[in-house]
Amino acid sequence: MDSPLQEAVRNNLLASLSSHDFQRLAPHLEPVDLARGFALSSPNQLSDYSYFIESGIGSIVASVSNGQSAEIGIFGREGMSPTALILNSGSAPYSIFMQVGGNGFRIESIQLSHALSESVVLRNLFMRYVQTASVQTAFTALANATQH
């Protein structure tokens, strides 16, 4: 399998990496089809892979024990999922799946974790993405809560 070329990727997070950090990840990036409904991560479970969407839309859904759920966030080619790995927390309490099918790249979470520990620049960029995703999630939840 050939490594992707940085100038050919459509994922904004991968495209914005320094060439050195992109080369750190590139040999481990696998192209993947992401069909509608494909699970990117499950609640409270470690994810074997992290995904960088090139096309399509991912949905983040929080659920409670009585079966009620709400979409609390969406993302596309601007980022990656799951972000719990970036925060070194392993898992998150929500479901993440493809709401609109597309494609992208996946990387074994252990490989991404190694790269994050080796590069402060890479870790800082991904942490800024997590902050942005967190703000978007908060405002999505606010919008859901205030709908009349």
Side-chain angles (χ1 to χ4, degrees), residues 49-61:
Y49 292 94
S50 294
Y51 296 87
F52 295 87
I53 294 177
E54 294 264 292
S55 66
I57 299 172
S59 181
I60 305 165
V61 175

Side-chain angles (χ1 to χ4, degrees), residues 17-51:
L17 297 177
S18 70
S19 61
H20 182 73
D21 281 332
F22 184 82
Q23 290 309 314
R24 186 186 306 273
L25 298 181
H28 308 289
L29 293 170
E30 302 173 47
V32 61
D33 288 325
L34 301 167
R36 184 178 193 277
F38 179 84
L40 301 172
S41 73
S42 299
N44 304 312
Q45 293 185 9
L46 297 175
S47 183
D48 292 334
Y49 292 94
S50 294
Y51 296 87

